[in-house]
């Protein structure tokens, strides 16, 4: 292989190139200058009117209430102002208030549109035109913490002033009303939060009571864990965790089922509590104190467990019936579906608490056993946490109750009436001159753009393409024979389109009858090239190599279709069995091209240590099998590196006469290097007219550093460079209709 020599950059050569092709620069500059001048004089002058508005600081709510509410009314004033300025409703009111549809130019345009489509009136067209016009020319800009500007641009300076005045006055007048509405919404929010925090406080107190009762009950239970059953306790804790997750999912489903029967039923029954229900729940949770040690002492089907489970089932039935009765009392006309949904929701809740209690009891047994203490420290920590939770919720509820009192809300409403309004600092004045267009800037940018285009044309013309253009260039540069020059046949585009269609439809055929098989089995330029390729390999001295690796330097060079076509040709025209192996585990394609199942394959076999019956897939061609990539693995490099020396490779060599392996590009990842050093031959694939020769040289260098067994190059896309080179009909050998329609037989 001859290394490509890099020449130093010669500035003078670029200067000479610019001089030789000066018209490529001058013409775009002149055209750009003329276009910029025409654009600048054709644009109408635009005038700008501005008004400066300040927002006086209003009396805020007290800090605790403001913190709980989560926002201050002043903070959203600018965003709401900007949204309203851009709203269609406001712009329509503005157009109608200023009679902007009477503009002669607008009326003329509206009349033309009405003649084309009379479905709308001339007034509607004119109004829509002006709304669109204003939407692009009215903006609100913040200039300080509570200061902003209303900016209006228009081709008429007097109308720009009127628009700015109208917008400013509209918002000054609406300020007080909007702020009063927001204060009222804060009051409503406060009332809602009182209910929520009261519920949280009740729930926290209930959890504390349940834990304390369970702690008292659990204290009298002797620890059943010993050295013989400690492993069983670990399993029981894991099972409890899984059952807890399942119980939580059932609880969510029961809650959704009740909500689906109506919001009224859900609000009335979701959180209803009765002493009889609470008593049954405590009894069921208490039974878990007996279930946990019973599971530790004996098997899950012993008489003690059966007795406890029978008691639990009996109390669940009683709880279910009691829940239905309570639901019927709360909502007499709701119907059996609502009563049943509430009963199942109650059962699901108590099951979550029961499983959680069982897990805590088992964990306490384990902790007591491992630490050798009568009471685990976690109990004290849990008790402290629950007490802190109760105190925290109680403090929040008290703070909200205090801060949202009716007297404070009334005071906040009165403060909003007196403060927080807009104040016009600087009213709009008639502009002295236009602010746009900037003719000088337009002209400069146009000339600069033309110069950039011209320089780009010069560089594009002078810069030579570094990709390979001929077989002689490939062989002379790489020092290897070109084994085949494959045209970019229509079949390869069809394969790509088929893959995209299957991905969109989330479907994938697995009948082993691919399109490429039918194409290679016919007399086509592609099939002829691969016949030549296998004949050249056979003439290398020792016949066709048993194991052949197909790789490339970059993606998209056609290595996968090359490997597939080579395997089909070997199976059809050379004696012995052939297998096609997809070792590109990062982006596998063989299973899609060959239309086989990819549920198991190479990665599974290597992980398993041997080939299984379902790993190798058959296709509709005798003597050819496919070993797809298989399930996606995280440790791809480990699998690829261990494959050549694995038992899987030994089994393939013992069962098949030819092995064709497709791998990932060798410049991006080292997969081809791991396998290439342990196969009989390596074939490099490149795409003519596309792949830079530097990339090809680097890939070939890496492959030969591992093992000098690269036997040649396959050049794809060759008719892109020489369109007539592989024109099958050009030489008088066009395929007949019978050949085109012939199957794989």
């Amino acid at each position: 292989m001859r290394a490509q020599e890099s020449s130093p950059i010669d500035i003078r050569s670029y200067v000479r190139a610019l001089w030789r092709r000066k018209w490529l620069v001058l013409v775009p500059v002149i055209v750009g200058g003329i276009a910029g001048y025409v654009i600048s004089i054709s644009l109408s002058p635009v005038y700008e009117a501005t008004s400066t508005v300040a927002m006086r600081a209003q009396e805020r709510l007290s800090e605790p209430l403001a913190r709980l509410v989560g926002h201050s009314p002043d903070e959203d004033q600018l965003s709401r102002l900007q949204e309203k300025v851009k709203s269609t409703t406001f712009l329509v009111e503005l157009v109608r208030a200023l009679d902007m549809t009477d503009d002669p130019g607008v009326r003329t345009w509206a009349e033309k549109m009405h003649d084309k489509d009379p479905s709308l009136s001339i007034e509607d067209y004119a109004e829509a035109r002006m709304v669109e016009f204003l939407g692009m020319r009215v903006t609100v800009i913040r200039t300080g913490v509570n200061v902003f500007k209303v900016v209006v641009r228009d081709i008429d300076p007097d109308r720009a002033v009127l628009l700015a005045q109208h917008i400013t006055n509209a918002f000054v007048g609406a300020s007080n009303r909007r702020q009063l509405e927001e204060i009222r919404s804060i009051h409503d929010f406060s009332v809602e939060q009182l209910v929520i925090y009261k519920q949280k406080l009740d729930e926290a107190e209930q959890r504390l009571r349940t834990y304390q009762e369970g702690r008292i009950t659990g204290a009298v239970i002797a620890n059943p864990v010993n050295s013989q059953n400690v492993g069983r306790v670990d399993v029981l804790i894991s099972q409890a965790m899984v059952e807890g997750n399942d119980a939580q999912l059932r609880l969510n489903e029961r809650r959704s089922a009740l909500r689906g029967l109506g919001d009224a039923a859900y609000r009335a029954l979701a959180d209803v509590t009765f002493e009889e229900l609470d008593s049954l729940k405590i009894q069921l949770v208490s039974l878990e104190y007996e279930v946990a040690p019973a599971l530790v002492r004996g098997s899950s089907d012993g008489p003690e467990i059966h007795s406890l489970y029978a008691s639990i089932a009996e109390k669940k039935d009683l709880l279910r019936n009691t829940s239905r009765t309570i639901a019927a009392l709360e909502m007499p006309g709701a119907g059996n579906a609502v009563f049943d949904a509430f009963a199942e929701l109650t059962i699901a809740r108590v099951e979550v608490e029961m499983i959680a209690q069982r897990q805590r009891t088992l964990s306490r047994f384990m902790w007591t056993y491992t630490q050798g203490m009568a009471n685990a420290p976690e109990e004290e920590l849990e008790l402290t946490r629950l007490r802190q939770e109760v105190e925290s919720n109680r403090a929040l509820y008290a703070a909200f109750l205090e801060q949202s009192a009716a007297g404070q809300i009334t005071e906040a409403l009165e403060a909003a009436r007196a403060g927080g309004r807009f104040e016009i600092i600087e009213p709009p004045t008639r502009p002295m001159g236009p602010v746009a267009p900037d003719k000088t800037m337009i002209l400069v940018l146009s000339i600069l753009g033309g110069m950039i285009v011209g320089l780009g044309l010069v560089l594009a013309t002078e810069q030579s393409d570094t990709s390979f253009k001929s077989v002689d260039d490939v062989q002379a540069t790489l020092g290897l024979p070109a084994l085949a020059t494959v045209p970019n046949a229509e079949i390869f585009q069809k394969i790509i389109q088929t893959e995209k269609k299957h991905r969109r439809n989330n479907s994938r055929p697995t009948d082993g009858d691919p399109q490429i098989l039918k194409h290679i089995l016919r007399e086509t330029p592609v099939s002829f090239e691969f016949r030549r390729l296998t004949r050249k390999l056979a003439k290398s001295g020792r016949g066709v190599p048993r194991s052949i690796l197909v790789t490339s330097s970059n993606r998209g060079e056609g290595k996968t279709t090359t490997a597939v076509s080579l395997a089909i040709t070997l199976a059809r025209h050379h004696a012995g069995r052939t297998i096609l192996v997809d070792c590109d585990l990062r982006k596998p394609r063989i299973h899609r091209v060959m239309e086989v199942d990819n549920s198991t394959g190479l990665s599974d076999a290597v992980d398993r240590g041997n080939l299984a019956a379902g790993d190798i897939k058959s296709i509709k061609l005798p003597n050819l099998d496919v070993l797809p990539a298989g399930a996606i693995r995280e440790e791809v490099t480990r699998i690829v590196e261990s494959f050549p020396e694995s038992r899987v490779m030994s089994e393939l060599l013992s069962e098949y006469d030819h092995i064709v392996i497709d791998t990932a590009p060798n410049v991006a990842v080292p997969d081809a290097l791991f396998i290439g050093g342990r196969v009989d031959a390596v074939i490099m694939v490149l795409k003519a007219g596309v792949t830079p020769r530097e990339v090809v040289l680097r890939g070939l260098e890496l492959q030969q550093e591992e093992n000098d067994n690269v036997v040649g190059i396959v050049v794809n896309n060759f008719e892109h460079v020489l369109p007539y080179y592989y024109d099958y009909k050009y030489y008088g050998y066009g395929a007949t209709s019978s050949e085109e329609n012939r199957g794989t037989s």
Side-chain angles (χ1 to χ4, degrees):
M1 179 179 66
R2 282 200 311 237
Q4 186 182 18
E5 297 180 357
S6 59
S7 57
I9 298 176
D10 188 359
I11 301 298
R12 290 177 297 180
S13 64
Y14 286 102
V15 174
R16 287 194 296 268
L18 286 174
W19 177 253
R20 285 196 313 269
R21 306 183 186 278
K22 54 184 175 293
W23 287 109
L24 287 177
V25 178
L26 291 177
V27 170
V29 168
I30 295 172
V31 172
I34 294 174
Y37 176 76
V38 172
I39 291 173
S40 63
I41 63 175
S42 62
L43 294 175
S44 301
V46 178
Y47 298 89
E48 182 178 278
T50 63
S51 62
T52 304
V53 181
M55 210 165 34
R56 293 197 302 268
Q58 71 175 52
E59 295 294 331
R60 295 181 178 271
L61 299 176
S62 63
E63 184 177 353
L65 181 57
R67 184 174 64 253
L68 291 171
V69 171
H71 71 281
S72 173
D74 291 344
E75 296 174 359
D76 297 331
Q77 292 290 338
L78 178 61
S79 61
R80 285 197 298 269
L81 178 58
Q82 291 172 327
E83 292 174 0
K84 187 166 185 178
V85 165
K86 294 294 183 179
S87 66
T88 303
T89 304
F90 177 78
L91 294 177
V92 168
E93 294 176 357
L94 194 61
V95 169
R96 293 174 179 175
L98 300 179
D99 296 328
M100 298 179 67
T101 56
D102 294 337
D103 183 90
V106 175
R107 300 292 295 186
T108 301
W109 178 87
E111 290 171 358
K112 292 181 180 179
M113 294 300 297
H114 179 71
D115 293 338
K116 294 180 181 179
D117 184 7
S119 60
L120 296 178
S121 64
I122 296 176
E123 291 295 330
D124 292 336
Y125 278 115
E127 189 175 272
R129 179 74 169 183
M130 293 311 300
V131 167
E132 181 182 2
F133 174 82
L134 290 177
M136 297 184 295
R137 286 167 172 76
V138 178
T139 57
V140 179
I141 303 173
R142 182 186 290 275
T143 58
V145 178
N146 293 321
V147 180
F148 56 89
K149 283 187 177 182
V150 177
V151 181
V152 179
R153 290 191 172 191
D154 197 353
I155 57 176
D156 186 348
D158 295 326
R159 189 168 61 187
V161 175
L162 287 176
L163 289 172
Q165 289 176 344
H166 188 85
I167 294 173
T168 304
N169 293 333
F171 280 100
V172 168
S175 171
N176 187 41
R177 181 176 61 255
R178 181 172 55 251
Q179 293 184 23
L180 288 177
E181 292 174 354
E182 188 161 347
I183 292 296
R184 293 190 184 97
S185 67
I186 292 175
H187 176 261
D188 295 338
F189 176 78
S190 300
V191 174
E192 294 176 359
Q193 292 301 306
L194 283 173
V195 177
I196 293 173
Y197 276 96
K198 182 61 170 66
Q199 181 180 352
K200 288 183 177 180
L201 177 59
D202 293 340
E203 292 175 352
E205 291 176 342
Q206 179 61 35
R207 285 194 294 270
L208 178 59
R209 287 194 300 271
T210 302
Y211 184 79
Q212 289 174 334
E213 293 170 357
R215 191 178 180 207
I216 294 172
T217 305
V220 298
I221 300 176
N223 188 2
V225 181
N226 51 48
S227 59
Q228 284 76 29
N229 59 19
V230 65
R232 175 179 175 82
V233 176
D234 283 332
V235 174
L236 291 174
I237 292 174
S238 300
Q239 291 177 349
M241 293 174 64
V242 174
E243 292 177 9
N245 294 333
D246 294 339
Q248 188 62 46
L249 291 176
R250 289 195 299 272
L251 175 59
N252 295 336
E253 292 174 357
R254 300 296 185 269
R255 187 178 287 114
S256 300
L258 181 59
R259 190 190 300 271
L261 295 174
D263 289 337
Y266 182 81
R267 288 194 300 270
L269 298 176
D271 298 316
V272 67
T273 58
F274 279 86
E275 292 183 1
E276 188 175 0
L277 286 179
D278 293 339
S279 176
L280 289 173
K281 291 178 182 178
I282 292 173
Q283 293 176 28
L284 282 168
V285 173
S286 299
L287 284 174
E288 289 294 336
Y289 290 108
E290 302 178 32
V291 171
L295 289 173
V296 174
R297 288 192 296 268
S299 62
S300 58
D301 57 351
E304 183 180 4
I305 294 297
H306 279 301
S307 176
L308 289 172
Y309 284 168
S311 298
I312 290 174
E314 180 180 350
K315 291 188 180 299
K316 281 186 178 180
D317 290 337
L318 181 59
L319 178 62
R320 184 178 288 106
N321 295 331
T322 304
S323 300
R324 285 181 51 83
T325 303
I326 291 174
L329 292 174
E330 288 292 317
M331 298 188 69
N336 291 329
V338 173
F339 303 156
D340 292 339
F342 172 69
E344 294 304 322
L345 176 60
T346 305
I347 294 297
R349 284 174 172 170
V350 77
E351 286 177 349
V352 170
E353 296 178 9
M354 291 170 65
I355 296 172
Q357 184 57 54
R358 186 197 312 163
Q359 183 179 348
R360 287 195 297 268
T361 304
L362 291 171
S363 299
R364 185 170 64 252
F365 287 159
M366 179 63 73
W367 178 263
T368 303
Y369 170 78
T370 55
Q371 300 297 322
M373 296 185 301
N375 295 311
E378 281 76 1
E379 294 184 4
E380 298 300 329
L381 294 176
E382 179 68 9
L383 185 60
T384 302
R385 185 190 67 80
L386 291 173
R387 287 173 176 170
Q388 290 176 349
E389 183 180 2
V390 170
E391 294 302 324
S392 176
N393 284 314
R394 182 177 289 115
L396 285 173
Y397 174 74
F400 226 125
L401 185 63
E402 178 183 356
Q403 297 300 329
S404 61
Q408 182 177 351
I409 297 298
T410 304
E411 182 179 346
L413 288 171
E414 294 298 327
R417 294 190 182 97
R421 299 175 181 177
F422 293 114
E423 179 181 2
I424 301 175
I425 298 177
E426 183 180 345
T429 57
R430 192 180 191 279
M432 301 299 296
V435 296
D438 190 341
K439 298 181 180 180
T440 303
M441 182 59 66
I442 292 175
L443 187 60
V444 170
L445 292 177
S446 300
I447 294 174
L448 182 61
M451 185 178 298
I452 293 173
V453 171
L455 292 174
L457 291 174
V458 172
L459 291 176
T461 304
E462 290 294 320
Q463 188 68 26
S464 61
D465 192 352
T466 62
S467 62
F468 292 102
K469 297 297 190 301
S470 67
V471 175
D472 293 337
D473 190 12
V474 171
Q475 298 182 145
T477 303
L478 303 181
L480 290 170
L483 300 176
T485 50
V486 183
N488 189 14
E490 185 179 0
I491 181 62
F492 301 131
Q493 303 301 323
K494 288 182 178 179
I495 291 173
I496 295 175
Q497 293 173 2
T498 302
E499 289 181 24
K500 292 181 179 178
K501 181 179 71 175
H502 289 318
R503 280 197 297 270
R504 287 195 303 267
N505 299 334
N506 196 21
S507 63
R508 185 174 299 150
T510 57
D511 56 358
D513 189 18
Q515 302 178 66
I516 193 169
L517 175 63
K518 303 172 185 176
H519 187 84
I520 298 299
L521 294 181
R522 295 200 306 265
E523 291 188 352
T524 61
V526 176
S527 64
F528 288 155
E529 275 307 308
F530 283 97
R531 288 286 300 277
R532 293 190 183 101
L533 170 60
T534 56
R535 289 177 63 85
K536 288 181 181 180
L537 291 175
K539 292 179 180 179
S540 60
R542 292 176 295 178
V544 178
R546 291 200 63 196
S547 56
I548 303 173
L549 175 71
V550 180
T551 187
S552 61
S553 303
N554 204 355
R555 290 185 57 193
E557 298 195 63
K559 64 174 182 59
T560 298
T561 51
T562 298
V564 170
S565 303
L566 175 59
I568 295 173
T569 305
L570 288 173
R572 179 65 184 272
H573 299 288
H574 292 264
R577 299 178 63 197
T578 303
I579 186 167
L580 176 61
V581 181
D582 191 352
C583 203
D584 188 355
L585 303 183
R586 304 173 195 276
K587 293 185 178 296
R589 282 189 63 214
I590 291 292
H591 63 284
R592 292 197 295 266
V593 177
M594 297 301 287
E595 298 184 0
V596 296
D597 179 43
N598 191 40
S599 58
T600 60
L602 177 62
S603 61
D604 305 274
V606 174
D607 270 353
R608 190 189 309 115
N610 64 291
L611 287 168
D615 294 338
I616 297 177
K617 279 72 178 179
S618 300
I619 66 168
K620 293 187 178 180
L621 177 65
N623 298 332
L624 178 60
D625 292 329
V626 178
L627 179 57
I632 298 176
R633 309 283 176 170
E634 294 183 358
E635 299 179 350
V636 174
T637 303
R638 176 187 62 80
I639 295 175
V640 173
E641 189 173 6
S642 61
F643 166 60
E645 302 295 336
S646 67
R647 182 180 174 184
V648 176
M649 187 65 174
S650 301
E651 292 179 4
L652 293 177
L653 289 171
S654 64
E655 295 181 14
Y656 293 91
D657 299 284
H658 302 293
I659 302 174
V660 180
I661 304 174
D662 178 33
T663 62
N666 62 358
V667 174
V669 292
D671 297 359
L673 307 182
F674 295 147
I675 304 175
R678 296 171 178 83
V679 296
D680 296 333
V682 176
I683 296 176
M684 295 285 294
V685 181
L686 66 87
K687 196 169 186 178
V690 176
T691 310
R693 64 182 61 206
E694 295 83 1
V695 178
V696 178
L697 285 167
R698 179 56 179 164
L700 183 57
E701 179 184 0
L702 290 172
Q703 200 67 46
Q704 289 180 330
E705 286 177 356
E706 187 69 24
N707 190 0
D708 192 11
N709 60 348
V710 182
V711 297
I713 307 296
V714 172
V715 185
N716 279 325
N717 197 40
F718 213 70
E719 88 289 350
H720 176 74
V721 180
L722 300 175
Y724 60 87
Y725 193 83
Y726 280 113
D727 190 346
Y728 197 37
K729 297 181 181 179
Y730 178 82
Y731 293 100
Y733 291 97
T736 64
S737 59
S738 62
E739 290 173 335
E740 291 295 329
N741 298 322
R742 189 180 305 161
T744 61
S745 59

